[in-house]
Every structure is written in structure tokens, then in C-alpha cells.
């Protein structure tokens, strides 16, 4: 194992895509907040991006095999941190998700996602067969299940849900058998059905979660709650038209009708001001990002690297899908940010560290 | 523990390829979603965004003022705040109802009723939920801008009337437009508009009411105004000048005091109303802000009917004032001839039935009038003389002249809801009661009892018109009213001379029923009347309850020919006094004030004679007191009893 791959080996295309998306995000954060009490938020985001970039390069230098070897410690740290945040964490917006670290509030579940990616990659690598049998599938399920339940307890349904496609994609690539897949899809469909079926959802969901489901199904009944948010988001997107209203000219954005327009709903702000052409660019960049990740997975030196990269791809892909679908009113409000564009420290750091793992794999593709 | 990573490098390339397809598919589906919103449904969402940010706030146009004949302000406006409810977002409104009702001291049910009533209006049009915001309300709205964005304040100008119901019945009052008015307005009026509901406010609503403007502003998501777009300025209502003379109105208000009744002062040369009072009166200021259902109910159920403008709506027996009609008819028809004299023993017997003269029940002085001619009969208001004259004339002639002089017809005054009074006749009883006219009824009608009823404004017009030689001008309150109506009833000069001579005598000759009212240097003339509300038998049945007291009338004017001012006064429930005593002094005060002012104007300064009108002196002789004859109950059975204020 050679320890110092050259800078040439970095995926510069990936970095360029990353930079472009971040630039779009910073611009839109500026547009959404410059006229309000939140002015200056884009500078904070730039700072997070800088820190993220450093972390990304640091993480890319440490051989991922070494990191994966520490899976048990990482997993235990992850569980401990999730328990700690439940016991000691700070509440914001009615949920315990944050712990203070170096003067900043960090969202523990973001770290948990990163660790689960590593732990799952390690687990599936160990399955040395083309077919994933039921016992391994259940084991993997348990590995994911414990942190998932802890995150649900915070409560943070959105982040908890992210772990599901992560598990599913890993299992799929590890040789998930078709009958198991069919069973999972069936169970998933039943779960979704249960969530949208009031008599059952009353038992399994928190009131605020049920409210979100209700307002998603009947936005007009809940005008100031999340139904209002979805409606205002759709109005922003729709009124943007093909060409958009122009940078800084979106009334939905500038007058504050779009909820958390600098974060979860930043895509609505972009869609309003830049129109469909802007959306095309943004979603094109995201597609390029994801495809580039898959390409990196395809060219990985080993299964371990492939699982790592695809874990990152699954996580980011799910984030993008759920967030953007929410912005156009096709999914309920879940509180999942749009990677690299939404304002947020923990989330940004998570993405950069995840990309750091991808770089890590790429740098070592020819090494053996 | 460690394991070898290099042992198995076979990657699931097929499944990785599937992942790529899924990614492309996912992005494609999302783009389709955006295409639907941003290209297909773009217009619809564009409008919604526009509705979000643009809010229309009405700017209320001030109503026109009302000035008196000298340009003094009688009805004005004052600034005030109204609380608006913005209804753009029905779900948000629904959610806010309870806190809004709580904060503003309203009831949720009332709010819901108002919302239901305005359902048909466009959503962007706010509705007024509290017309008069208190300082506490203002503070509440300001402090809840963020969490109750449905509330907005609107600066409005509100009607200000003189206090205490001054001129209240003439001015009328304003209120929120009713559904019937909206329907009748051909789209001019909208729910929540303030319109005239009664009196001049209603009559001249189209002139007084302006056109509201509209301000379009940009608001942010918490309802704060951040910019404004266009402003459509309100067009203020036009002011109107009235014929009312503030100085005379003051005297009229004070002189009538709190007694139920009415005063109408007219310049018979033009028909201009110089003063108009009706008692009791509500304070129209109470209506300027929305009146509660309870208050409204109370006003409507009040036995004294404060909402009723007695000056134009009270249809009462004119009593002896009507004798002027009978006298004029007699002189014009020469039947009986002018020289006709009759002996009054205190009663008369007609058609086998005895009719009393008021003098018979007089407590002081003689109980008969002796022999008298027309002049003295008017002076002393002898019933027996006019019974006889009426019998000779017959109901046809009496009703012919009564009708000519306007009884049974609206005067056409520029006020809503005027009543016409009634001049009974043979065709009338046949039409209404399907029976023949009883000859005995003529006897009652001849002295202004029985079925004949008049309003105060009718009597003022009638007496003024006869004294002016048969020229009847349409009474009116608006100074620059076009095409003032005029009716001419040709009366011979001797007739007018004799009638006015006699009415002058009522005040100025010994034995007249109004001698206590004499004013130095003023030819005050007039005729008193005291009309029964009910027959004596009914009165006996109910006891001497206040509401069955007589109606005291006095119609005074000056000078004696071609008068400049005629004042009709009605005082109801005069406590056993007759019209000359109760109503006379009011007419006298107003005529005196008129001449005082005229003198001042002519001399440019205050005249020496500034003495207050003397209080009506205790009646020196019974002869002064006219009391109309008693029509026995059984006889008047067929009449429409002059029960007051049937409407």
C-alpha cells in the first residue's frame, strides 16, 4: 500500500460539479436572506464549505481500509452519541438533535449517517458471495435498525428514513435475492400505506408527523402549517415559469412566503428566481454528481470501496429525491435538506466527509 | 482482527448499471414535476404568487357634510379606525377566529355570521369586523401582526352629528348597508358600505356618499406592508346645504324640550324648512358606529317610538286647526253665507244626537259661547258653529277642500317615509268599509276629529298656503333643490282676508285662544287645536293613562298675510292642557327668534328687545281654552279612530 497518491488522481470532475452546486447554493442563500434579518448567512455557509473541503481532503488521505477496520469502535461511538443526544441534547424546533461542539451546534445524526455508511460497507464486504442470504440480510437490518430507532426517538423521521435506502442499495449490490427484494418492497409499501392510513398512522406516528401527512394529502385544510409550506413552495416554483423571475426578484422568496427558503426549501427559491432553466442546470449537476459517484464505484479497486461509494451515492440520491419532491409538493415535509445547497453546518460537513471517502476510494483504485 | 480486502474484486457491474439508470430516471421524473409546475401550470401559480404579495386595502371616502342655510356645519365627519379582517386565506381565517374574537371582545358566532354574509365577495376584499377600534384594539392588532396577519386597521371617517339628537330626525343616520339596499343599488353598493339609513342621510345618500378608493400594497409573509403599487384615490361625497336655520333649530329643540311631539317651521314663500324637530329622538351618533342588536330592538320596541319622525310621520287628528279648512270652505262656497250666525248653548243636536262644545266642559268661565259669527267662532274655536257649518257644507265639500289643501297627500318633502294623513269622504268609506257615509261623521270631521288625520308638516303647509292666498309650496330641506313643487288653489281675496283676520285675532284679540302668545311688533297669527286620541268612553275604560292624553296643536305664522314663517307644533300628552297652552309657546318662541334674527340682520346689531318669551301665563279665562267636542264612542264606531302613529 502506497500512502501518497498524487493530486492527479483526485476526481477533478467530481470536485468541479461539487463546486458548481455549492456556488449555486451560496448564491441562492444570499438571494434568500440578504434583505432580511438573516443577512450574511451565505458567508457562514462559505465558512462551512471551507471547513468541509479541508475535512474532505483529510479524510481522503487516510486509507479507507484502515477506517473500515475500526467499524466496531465507530459504530459504538455512533450509538453512544445518539444516546447522549437523547439524554443531554439541545432542543430546537421541538426535537433533540443537537449537541454543542467547539461553540457550534452539531447534528449527531449527520455523523451517524457517515458511520453507518462505513459500517454497512464493511458488513457487506464481508459477505463473500454473489447472493445475500436471509441471515445476513437480517444482520444488516439489525445493524441499521438500532441507530434508526434512536434517531426516530429524537424525533427525526427524515434522517432515520435515509438509512433505509442506504441499507437497501447496499443489500442490492451485495446480491439481494429477488424474492427478498419483493418482500422488502411489499413491506415498504405496506408501511407507506400505513403512514397514509389514519387509523394505523395514529398509532405509529407523532402528532406533528401525522399533521404533515394530513397536510400533504390535503394542503388546503392546513393553511399555516406544513400544508401552507408546501403550497407556498409550489407557488414559488410554478410562478417562476420557464425563465424565472431573475436573481433577487422572486416575490415568494424575497417576501418570505417560502418557508425556510435558505435551507430545506432552497430549491423552491432557485426555481422561482431562475425558472425551469435553472432547475435544469441544478438537477443536471446533481445527476452528474450521482452518476460520477456510480462511475467511481464501478472503477473501485475492491468491493469495500464500491460499497463505500455507493453508500454515499444512495444517501445523497435519497436526500435529493426526497427534498426536491417535497419542494414540488410530491412528498410530505420531512425536514431533509438538499445536499450542498441548503444552508447547514452539520449537513454540509457530512456531505464533504462522504465525498472525502469517495475520493479516498478513487485515490486507491490502482494501488495494490 | 483484519481480513484481506484483495481477495474478491468482482464488482456487481450489472447492478451498478441499474443504479445509474435509476438515477437518470429519478432526475427525469423530478424534472417532469418541475415542467408541470413551471411550464404547464405556470400562469395559475403566477396569479397565486401575485395574490400572495398584493393586498388591496380600501380607502374610505368621507361623506359630504350638511350645512345650514347660513353655511354653518350641522353634520360633519371625524377620523376613526376600523378593524378589517383579511379573508384571502380561508383556512387561516378559520384558525384565527377564536383569538381575534377574544382579543377584540367580539363573539365568534358574530364573526362567522359576517363571514357567511360576505362569502360572495372576492377573497382579496377584506371585511370590517369592528367599525370603531378602541386604543386597546389598536394595541392588540399592532402586537399580533406576526401571528394574526388576518387583521388590518383601516382609517375611516365617521359621521359626527350634534350631540343629544339635535336635528336627529331630519339628518337621519348612517349604517351598514342592508342586503335589500345592495340589491336595489345595481352593484353600486357593496357589503360593509356605510349608507344613509334614514332622514336626509338616506334621501341624499347618492350625493353625500363618495366613492371609496383602493390602495394596492405589497405585503410580506407576515402581513407587513413593504411597498405600495397603485393608489386609486377616494372621491369624497359632496356636501349639501340645508334650508335649516341653525338659530331657529336651537330654539325649536329647546322650546319643545323633552316632551313627545314635533315642530316644523317653514317659509311658506319658498317651502324651505327652517327647523324640524321630533321628540323623542335617538342620538344619531349612536348609529355612526355599528349599533348592537339589543340597542336596535330596544329602540324599535320603545313605546314612544324614538325612531319615528313625528314631523312627517305622525298621522293625528288635527282637531280645531281643521276648522280653518271648514271656514275656508264655507266662505268659498257661501254655504252657509258669511253672515251666518249660530247660538252655542254648549252643545248642539244633530241627527238626533247631542254633540258637546268644548266650552261646556270648561272648568272656568262660561259654559256656552252664546251667539257668534265666523270670526268669533274661529277666535274662540266654537265647536257648535263648525258642527252647523259642516252639516250645511256636507262631507263632499269638506273633503273637496281638505283634499285640495293637501290632507291625504304627501307634501313631497325631501325625506323618506313621509305619511299622507287621511281626508275621509264618501267614496273612501265605501271603498274601505263597504258602507254608506254616516251623516253624523260629517259633524266630527268639521272640527278635525273622526277619521281625518294630518301630519305636522301637512298642517304647516296648509295654514301657510291659505294665509298666502292659496299658494302651497312643496316643503323641502335641501337649499338648492330644483323644481320645487307648487300648488295653487284659487281662493277669493275676501275669503283669505277674513280667515287671516280671524287667525290674527286668535292671538291678538281679546277672547282668542292664543292671546297669551302675543309678541310685540309681530303679527303672530295662528290656530290652536286639541285633538282627542280616543273617545271619552274608551278613556273611561283605561283610566287616565298618560298615553291617552290629548294631542296639543298650534300652527302659528307671521305676518298675518303672505307669511314669512309658519310653525306647526305638536305636543303629545300635554297633561290636560290644550294646544294653545302646550304647543302655542313653542310656535311663539320660534317666530320670535325668527324676527329677532331678522331685526339683528337689518340693524346689524342686537336690538333692545332681547327679553325672553314670557312663560305662558295661567289661563285667565276658560274662554281661552278650546276643547274639541266629544264624539261619542258608538257614533265614531265606523270611523278609523285617530289612534296615533299607526304605520
Amino acid at each position: 500500500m502506497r500512502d501518497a497518491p498524487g493530486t492527479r488522481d483526485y476526481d477533478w470532475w467530481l470536485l468541479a460539479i461539487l463546486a458548481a452546486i455549492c456556488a449555486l447554493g451560496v448564491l441562492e442563500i444570499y438571494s434568500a436572506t440578504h434583505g432580511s434579518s438573516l443577512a450574511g448567512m451565505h458567508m457562514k455557509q462559505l465558512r462551512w464549505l471551507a471547513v468541509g473541503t479541508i475535512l474532505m481532503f483529510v479524510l481522503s488521505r487516510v486509507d479507507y481500509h484502515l477506517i473500515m477496520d475500526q467499524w466496531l469502535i465507530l459504530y459504538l461511538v455512533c450509538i453512544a452519541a445518539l444516546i447522549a443526544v437523547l439524554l443531554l441534547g439541545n432542543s430546537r424546533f421541538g426535537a433533540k438533535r443537537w449537541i454543542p461542539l467547539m461553540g457550534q451546534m452539531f447534528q449527531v445524526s449527520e455523523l451517524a449517517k457517515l458511520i453507518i455508511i462505513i459500517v454497512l460497507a464493511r458488513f457487506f464486504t464481508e459477505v463473500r458471495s454473489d447472493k445475500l442470504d436471509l441471515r445476513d440480510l437480517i444482520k444488516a437490518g439489525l445493524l441499521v435498525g438500532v441507530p434508526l430507532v434512536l434517531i426516530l426517538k429524537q424525533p427525526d423521521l427524515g434522517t432515520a428514513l435515509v438509512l433505509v435506502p442506504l441499507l437497501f442499495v447496499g443489500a442490492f449490490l451485495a446480491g439481494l435475492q429477488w424474492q427478498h427484494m419483493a418482500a422488502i418492497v411489499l413491506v415498504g409499501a405496506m408501511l407507506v400505506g400505513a403512514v397514509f392510513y389514519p387509523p394505523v398512522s395514529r398509532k405509529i406516528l407523532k402528532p406533528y408527523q401525522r399533521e404533515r401527512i394530513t397536510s400533504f394529502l390535503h394542503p388546503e385544510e392546513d393553511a399555516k402549517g406544513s400544508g401552507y409550506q408546501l403550497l407556498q413552495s409550489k407557488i414559488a416554483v410554478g410562478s417562476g415559469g420557464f425563465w424565472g423571475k431573475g436573481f433577487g426578484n422572486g416575490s415568494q422568496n424575497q417576501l418570505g412566503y417560502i418557508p425556510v427558503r435558505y435551507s430545506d426549501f432552497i430549491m423552491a427559491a432557485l426555481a422561482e428566481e431562475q425558472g425551469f432553466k435553472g432547475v435544469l442546470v441544478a438537477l443536471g449537476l446533481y445527476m452528474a454528481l450521482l452518476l460520477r459517484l456510480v462511475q467511481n464505484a464501478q472503477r473501485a479497486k475492491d468491493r469495500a470501496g464500491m460499497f463505500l461509494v455507493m453508500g454515499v451515492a444512495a444517501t445523497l440520491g435519497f436526500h435529493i429525491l426526497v427534498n426536491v419532491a417535497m419542494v414540488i409538493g410530491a412528498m410530505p415535509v420531512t425536514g431533509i435538506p438538499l445536499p450542498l445547497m441548503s444552508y447547514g453546518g452539520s449537513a454540509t460537513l457530512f456531505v464533504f466527509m462522504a465525498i472525502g471517502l469517495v475520493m479516498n476510494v478513487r485515490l486507491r483504485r490502482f494501488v495494490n | 482482527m483484519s481480513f484481506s480486502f484483495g481477495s474478491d474484486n468482482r464488482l456487481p457491474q450489472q447492478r451498478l448499471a441499474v443504479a445509474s439508470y435509476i438515477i437518470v430516471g429519478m432526475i427525469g421524473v423530478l424534472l417532469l414535476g418541475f415542467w408541470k409546475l413551471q411550464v404547464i401550470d405556470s400562469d395559475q401559480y403566477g396569479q397565486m404568487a401575485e395574490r400572495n404579495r398584493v393586498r388591496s386595502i380600501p380607502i374610505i371616502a368621507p361623506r359630504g357634510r350638511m350645512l345650514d342655510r347660513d353655511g354653518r356645519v350641522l353634520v360633519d365627519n371625524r377620523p376613526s379606525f376600523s378593524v378589517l379582517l383579511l379573508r384571502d386565506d380561508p383556512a387561516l381565517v378559520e384558525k384565527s377566529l377564536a383569538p381575534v374574537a377574544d382579543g377584540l371582545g367580539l363573539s365568534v358566532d358574530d364573526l362567522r355570521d359576517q363571514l357567511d354574509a360576505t362569502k360572495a365577495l372576492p377573497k382579496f376584499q377584506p371585511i370590517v369586523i369592528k367599525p370603531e377600534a378602541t386604543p386597546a384594539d389598536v394595541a392588540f392588532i399592532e402586537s399580533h401582526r406576526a401571528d394574526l396577519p388576518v387583521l388590518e386597521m383601516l382609517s375611516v371617517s365617521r359621521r359626527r352629528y350634534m350631540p343629544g339628537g339635535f336635528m336627529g330626525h331630519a339628518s337621519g343616520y348612517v349604517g351598514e348597508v342592508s342586503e335589500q339596499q345592495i340589491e336595489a343599488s345595481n352593484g353600486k353598493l357593496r357589503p360593509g358600505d356605510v349608507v344613509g339609513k334614514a332622514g336626509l342621510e338616506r334621501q341624499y345618500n347618492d350625493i353625500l356618499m363618495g366613492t371609496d378608493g383602493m390602495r394596492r400594497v405589497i405585503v410580506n409573509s407576515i402581513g407587513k406592508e413593504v411597498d405600495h403599487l397603485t393608489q386609486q384615490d377616494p372621491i369624497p361625497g359632496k356636501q349639501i346645504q340645508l334650508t335649516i336655520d341653525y338659530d331657529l333649530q336651537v330654539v325649536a329643540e329647546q322650546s319643545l324640550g323633552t316632551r313627545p311631539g314635533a315642530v316644523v317651521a317653514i317659509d311658506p314663500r319658498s317651502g324651505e324648512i327652517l327647523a324640524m324637530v321630533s321628540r323623542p329622538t335617538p342620538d344619531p351618533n349612536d348609529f355612526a358606529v355599528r349599533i348592537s342588536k339589543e340597542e336596535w330592538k330596544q329602540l324599535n320596541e320603545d313605546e314612544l317610538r324614538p325612531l319615528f319622525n313625528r314631523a312627517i310621520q305622525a298621522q293625528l287628528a288635527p282637531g280645531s286647526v281643521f276648522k280653518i279648512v271648514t271656514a275656508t270652505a264655507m266662505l268659498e262656497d257661501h254655504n252657509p253665507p258669511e253672515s251666518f250666525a249660530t247660538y252655542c248653548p254648549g252643545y248642539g243636536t244633530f241627527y238626533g244626537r247631542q254633540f258637546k262644545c268644548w266650552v261646556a266642559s270648561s272648568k272656568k268661565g262660561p259654559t256656552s259661547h252664546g251667539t257668534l259669527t265666523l270670526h268669533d267662532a274661529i277666535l274662540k274655536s266654537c265647536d257648535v258653529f263648525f258642527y252647523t257649518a259642516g252639516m250645511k257644507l256636507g262631507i263632499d265639500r269638506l273633503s273637496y277642500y281638505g283634499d285640495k289643501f293637501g290632507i291625504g297627500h304627501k307634501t313631497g318633502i325631501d325625506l323618506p317615509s313621509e305619511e299622507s294623513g287621511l281626508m275621509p269622504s264618501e267614496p273612501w268609506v265605501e271603498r274601505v268599509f263597504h258602507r254608506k257615509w254616516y251623516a253624523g261623521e260629517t259633524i266630527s270631521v268639521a272640527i278635525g276629529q273622526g277619521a281625518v288625520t294630518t301630519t305636522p308638516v301637512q298642517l304647516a303647509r296648509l295654514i301657510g298656503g291659505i294665509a298666502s292666498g292659496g299658494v302651497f309650496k312643496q316643503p323641502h330641506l335641501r337649499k338648492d333643490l330644483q323644481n320645487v313643487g307648487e300648488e295653487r288653489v284659487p281662493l277669493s281675496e275676501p275669503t283669505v282676508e277674513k280667515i287671516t283676520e280671524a287667525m290674527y285675532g286668535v292671538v291678538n284679540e281679546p277672547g282668542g285662544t292664543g292671546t297669551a302668545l302675543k309678541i310685540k311688533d309681530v303679527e303672530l297669527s295662528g290656530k290652536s287645536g286639541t285633538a282627542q286620541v280616543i273617545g271619552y268612553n274608551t278613556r273611561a275604560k283605561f283610566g287616565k293613562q298618560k298615553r291617552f292624553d290629548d294631542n296639543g296643536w298650534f300652527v302659528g305664522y307671521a305676518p298675518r298675510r303672505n307669511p314669512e314663517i309658519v310653525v306647526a307644533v305638536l305636543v303629545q300628552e300635554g297633561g290636560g292642557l290644550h294646544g294653545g297652552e302646550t304647543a302655542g309657546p313653542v310656535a311663539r318662541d320660534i317666530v320670535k327668534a325668527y324676527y329677532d334674527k331678522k331685526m339683528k340682520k337689518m340693524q346689524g346689531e342686537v336690538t333692545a328687545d332681547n327679553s325672553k318669551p314670557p312663560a305662558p301665563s295661567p289661563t285667565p279665562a276658560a274662554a281661552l281654552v278650546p276643547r274639541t267636542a266629544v264624539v261619542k264612542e258608538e257614533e265614531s264606531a265606523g270611523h278609523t279612530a285617530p289612534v296615533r302613529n299607526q304605520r
Side-chain angles (χ1 to χ4, degrees):
Chain A
M1 264 180 228
R2 207 175 56 181
D3 203 351
T7 49
R8 242 167 21 123
D9 296 326
Y10 278 100
D11 187 345
W12 292 104
W13 270 115
L14 183 63
L15 288 177
I17 295 166
L18 208 63
I21 295 175
C22 290
L24 272 183
V26 170
L27 278 175
E28 209 45 66
I29 290 171
Y30 171 75
S31 171
T33 57
H34 70 95
S36 73
S37 57
L38 299 165
M41 200 165 241
H42 62 291
M43 292 309 291
K44 280 197 197 163
Q45 177 71 359
L46 279 175
R47 216 176 61 203
W48 286 119
L49 291 174
V51 175
T53 309
I54 294 167
L55 280 179
M56 174 180 77
F57 281 107
V58 169
L59 209 55
S60 68
R61 305 306 292 187
V62 186
D63 191 330
Y64 62 95
H65 299 99
L66 295 179
I67 299 173
M68 287 169 88
D69 273 346
Q70 304 306 315
W71 72 275
L72 188 61
I73 295 169
L74 287 172
Y75 190 68
L76 291 177
V77 166
C78 163
I79 301 294
L82 286 174
I83 292 173
V85 81
L86 279 181
L87 297 178
L88 318 162
N90 290 41
S91 290
R92 274 198 219 169
F93 313 119
K96 276 189 173 179
R97 298 177 188 171
W98 285 265
I99 51 164
L101 196 69
M102 293 185 295
Q104 292 287 342
M105 300 302 275
F106 284 92
Q107 212 168 334
V108 177
S109 53
E110 295 293 339
L111 181 70
K113 276 191 290 192
L114 194 67
I115 291 176
I116 302 301
I117 290 173
I118 295 166
V119 170
L120 268 187
R122 164 68 173 69
F123 176 84
F124 284 125
T125 311
E126 237 184 333
V127 178
R128 290 146 194 272
S129 149
D130 284 347
K131 287 198 167 153
L132 185 69
D133 61 28
L134 192 58
R135 267 177 57 186
D136 286 333
L137 183 60
I138 291 171
K139 275 190 204 163
L142 287 175
L143 271 180
V144 172
V146 175
L148 189 143
V149 168
L150 288 173
I151 294 171
L152 268 182
K153 281 264 172 201
Q154 290 181 355
D156 186 351
L157 179 64
T159 307
L161 279 179
V162 173
L163 300 184
V164 175
L166 178 56
L167 172 65
F168 184 81
V169 168
F172 175 71
L173 294 172
L176 180 66
Q177 294 167 52
W178 292 110
Q179 59 267 38
H180 293 157
M181 199 195 297
I184 291 172
V185 168
L186 198 68
V187 169
M190 279 171 66
L191 261 178
V192 170
V195 161
F196 286 97
Y197 184 59
V200 180
S201 68
R202 214 167 287 146
K203 294 203 180 84
I204 58 173
L205 293 181
K206 298 255 182 305
Y208 87 96
Q209 291 167 337
R210 268 208 333 272
E211 194 187 310
R212 283 178 174 182
I213 299 290
T214 317
S215 63
F216 167 67
L217 295 174
H218 312 283
E220 66 286 347
E221 281 179 16
D222 173 32
K224 248 315 149 42
S226 48
Y228 171 84
Q229 297 184 339
L230 282 185
L231 181 66
Q232 292 301 338
S233 175
K234 280 170 81 172
I235 292 174
V237 172
S239 66
F242 189 90
W243 298 106
K245 298 177 184 173
F247 184 74
N249 280 333
S251 65
Q252 290 286 103
N253 182 15
Q254 302 300 330
L255 296 173
Y257 288 100
I258 304 175
V260 283
R261 55 199 184 276
Y262 50 86
S263 177
D264 290 5
F265 283 90
I266 193 158
M267 195 63 185
L270 180 129
E272 185 188 23
E273 300 196 338
Q274 304 305 329
F276 187 73
K277 65 168 177 20
V279 171
L280 209 56
V281 170
L283 288 187
L285 284 170
Y286 276 115
M287 185 171 77
L289 174 75
L290 293 176
L291 290 178
R292 192 75 191 168
L293 290 181
V294 174
Q295 196 191 56
N296 273 313
Q298 285 169 330
R299 293 177 186 174
K301 187 190 70 178
D302 51 21
R303 285 168 67 89
M306 185 269 295
F307 278 121
L308 262 189
V309 175
M310 284 311 287
V312 173
T315 313
L316 294 185
F318 187 75
H319 267 98
I320 294 163
L321 173 69
V322 173
N323 178 279
V324 175
M326 168 187 79
V327 160
I328 58 175
M331 270 203 192
V333 175
T334 40
I336 291 185
L338 185 61
L340 300 170
M341 277 179 73
S342 289
Y343 171 82
S346 313
T348 304
L349 293 190
F350 157 74
V351 178
F352 272 87
M353 285 163 77
I355 299 293
L357 288 179
V358 174
M359 288 296 172
N360 198 327
V361 172
R362 182 182 169 91
L363 289 178
R364 285 162 186 82
R365 63 189 159 149
F366 304 122
V367 182
N368 200 355
Chain B
M1 81 169 213
S2 183
F3 64 95
S4 166
F5 285 99
S7 61
D8 184 359
N9 285 339
R10 287 173 303 115
L11 301 184
Q13 292 299 351
Q14 270 186 331
R15 293 200 169 191
L16 283 172
V18 168
S20 305
Y21 304 146
I22 290 175
I23 289 165
V24 174
M26 174 186 102
I27 297 291
V29 167
L30 290 178
L31 278 174
L32 279 181
F34 278 96
W35 181 265
K36 169 101 169 58
L37 290 181
Q38 299 196 282
V39 179
I40 299 174
D41 296 335
S42 178
D43 290 347
Q44 175 198 337
Y45 286 107
Q47 285 166 15
M48 287 166 86
E50 198 65 7
R51 250 180 288 156
N52 253 348
R53 71 184 191 113
V54 178
R55 184 171 284 175
S56 299
I57 296 171
I59 314 172
I60 305 296
R63 274 179 90 78
R65 301 184 299 175
M66 293 187 201
L67 310 178
D68 92 332
R69 61 187 302 117
D70 298 328
R72 289 169 287 190
V73 178
L74 296 172
V75 177
D76 202 356
N77 301 303
R78 65 184 166 82
S80 162
F81 282 106
S82 280
V83 182
L84 293 181
L85 183 73
L86 306 164
R87 308 169 308 140
D88 319 56
D89 188 339
L92 179 59
V93 168
E94 187 56 36
K95 234 178 173 175
S96 313
L97 278 188
V100 164
D102 194 44
L104 299 175
L106 302 168
S107 94
V108 175
D109 291 343
D110 272 5
L111 283 179
R112 220 178 284 279
D113 287 351
Q114 287 187 51
L115 281 172
D116 288 345
T118 51
K119 257 188 184 143
L121 284 178
K123 284 270 170 287
F124 62 83
Q125 243 178 49
I127 58 165
V128 175
I129 53 166
K130 193 167 187 186
E132 182 93 343
T134 63
D137 295 337
V138 174
F140 173 79
I141 294 162
E142 286 298 342
S143 60
H144 289 81
R145 281 235 177 260
D147 52 321
L148 292 175
V150 293
L151 290 181
E152 185 65 59
M153 269 181 313
L154 175 66
S155 154
V156 293
S157 73
R158 211 170 286 297
R159 232 25 177 167
R160 176 161 55 199
Y161 304 93
M162 294 201 174
F166 184 89
M167 211 186 76
H169 279 287
S171 66
Y173 52 87
V174 293
E176 206 166 310
V177 66
S178 68
E179 271 170 57
Q180 297 97 295
Q181 282 173 298
I182 293 171
E183 273 168 35
S185 74
N186 287 327
K188 246 197 93 189
L189 298 174
R190 289 175 313 214
D193 279 351
V194 169
V195 297
K197 292 290 220 182
L200 291 164
E201 292 278 24
R202 178 167 182 175
Q203 183 77 21
Y204 293 116
N205 188 58
D206 289 350
I207 298 169
L208 293 167
M209 193 176 155
T211 307
D212 291 350
M214 189 72 94
R215 202 160 50 99
R216 282 158 44 90
V217 297
I218 297 181
V219 292
N220 66 11
S221 59
I222 56 167
K224 209 179 138 210
E225 248 180 76
V226 292
D227 201 359
H228 67 272
L229 294 171
T230 52
Q231 176 158 331
Q232 189 189 330
D233 287 326
I235 305 164
K238 293 187 196 68
Q239 65 180 24
I240 56 173
Q241 185 163 31
L242 305 182
T243 58
I244 294 281
D245 185 324
Y246 173 73
D247 300 312
L248 298 191
Q249 181 74 23
V250 169
V251 173
E253 300 266 354
Q254 286 173 351
S255 192
L256 185 59
T258 56
R259 294 173 292 178
V263 178
V264 180
I266 306 185
D267 181 341
R269 297 169 299 179
S270 59
E272 292 180 355
I273 305 237
L274 302 173
M276 176 180 276
V277 181
S278 173
R279 287 281 189 274
T281 176
D283 186 341
N285 285 304
D286 295 345
F287 298 87
V289 182
R290 190 176 294 159
I291 193 161
S292 76
K293 278 183 185 138
E294 292 79 56
E295 285 174 285
W296 181 249
K297 205 169 155 222
Q298 210 180 332
L299 280 170
N300 271 302
E301 288 176 355
D302 190 327
E303 201 182 312
L304 289 172
R305 307 191 60 181
L307 295 176
F308 189 72
N309 184 356
R310 286 167 164 72
I312 60 166
Q313 289 179 299
Q315 305 177 85
L316 301 168
S320 301
V321 180
F322 188 83
K323 287 171 183 166
I324 299 302
V325 176
T326 310
T328 309
M330 169 185 150
L331 292 173
E332 285 291 285
D333 282 14
H334 306 289
N335 177 29
E338 195 201 319
S339 57
F340 173 74
T342 189
Y343 174 74
C344 167
Y347 59 88
T349 306
F350 304 91
Y351 308 108
R353 203 177 294 276
Q354 200 182 68
F355 291 79
K356 279 188 200 163
C357 179
W358 68 267
V359 78
S361 28
S362 165
K363 292 178 188 73
K364 286 170 266 178
T367 52
S368 75
H369 283 124
T371 304
L372 25 64
T373 57
L374 179 66
H375 184 81
D376 283 346
I378 291 176
L379 248 65
K380 299 177 179 175
S381 201
C382 176
D383 292 334
V384 173
F385 182 92
F386 286 101
Y387 291 146
T388 317
M391 184 189 66
K392 288 182 185 292
L393 276 161
I395 186 62
D396 284 355
R397 295 311 290 165
L398 277 179
S399 76
Y400 170 82
Y401 282 100
D403 183 78
K404 277 277 180 206
F405 298 153
I407 302 176
H409 304 284
K410 294 179 180 178
T411 65
I413 186 170
D414 47 351
L415 282 177
S417 315
E418 188 193 0
E419 292 293 350
S420 60
L422 177 69
M423 186 64 230
S425 63
E426 282 190 84
W428 174 75
V429 287
E430 275 164 20
R431 198 176 66 243
V432 178
F433 298 106
H434 310 291
R435 62 163 174 83
K436 290 270 175 225
W437 179 262
Y438 301 136
E441 292 175 88
T442 311
I443 309 302
S444 306
V445 168
I447 60 150
Q449 289 288 160
V452 60
T453 62
T454 58
T455 64
V457 69
Q458 267 178 338
L459 282 187
R461 174 183 176 277
L462 184 148
I463 297 294
I466 292 176
S468 305
V471 181
F472 299 81
K473 290 278 191 180
Q474 177 196 345
H476 59 278
L477 282 154
R478 190 173 173 210
K479 192 83 172 69
D480 43 6
L481 184 72
Q482 304 295 308
N483 307 319
V484 174
E486 181 190 285
E487 270 179 67
R488 285 178 182 272
V489 180
L491 297 177
S492 70
E493 174 56 27
T495 300
V496 177
E497 186 57 34
K498 292 215 171 58
I499 297 288
T500 52
E501 198 64 26
M503 287 200 278
Y504 179 76
V506 167
V507 177
N508 298 289
E509 278 179 40
T513 55
T515 47
L517 308 173
K518 203 167 164 175
I519 311 172
K520 195 180 159 228
D521 298 333
V522 176
E523 292 180 348
L524 177 62
S525 314
K527 184 71 193 83
S528 64
T530 308
Q532 288 168 248
V533 173
I534 52 166
Y536 279 178
N537 286 5
T538 316
R539 173 172 294 186
K541 222 187 292 176
F542 287 96
K544 194 124 174 109
Q545 283 175 35
K546 202 174 175 237
R547 62 198 173 108
F548 295 131
D549 278 346
D550 295 339
N551 293 318
W553 288 102
F554 192 86
V555 184
Y557 65 88
R560 79 167 101 169
R561 284 295 303 268
N562 301 318
E564 297 170 17
I565 178 170
V566 51
V567 183
V569 179
L570 164 71
V571 177
Q572 289 177 295
E573 301 158 16
L577 298 172
H578 67 88
E581 292 170 311
T582 56
V586 178
R588 179 196 185 280
D589 289 351
I590 296 167
V591 172
K592 184 169 187 310
Y594 174 84
Y595 277 96
D596 286 350
K597 184 172 178 182
K598 195 176 170 185
M599 289 299 282
K600 256 192 257 179
K601 261 191 189 160
M602 279 163 61
Q603 297 173 2
E605 56 182 51
V606 183
T607 51
D609 185 13
N610 250 352
S611 61
K612 282 268 159 211
S617 51
T619 323
L624 290 182
V625 187
R627 184 161 287 273
T628 45
V630 175
V631 180
K632 286 196 180 132
E633 200 67 18
E634 49 272 28
E635 270 174 343
S636 57
H639 303 186
T640 34
V643 172
R644 59 191 186 137
N645 304 352
Q646 276 191 338
R647 214 180 84 116

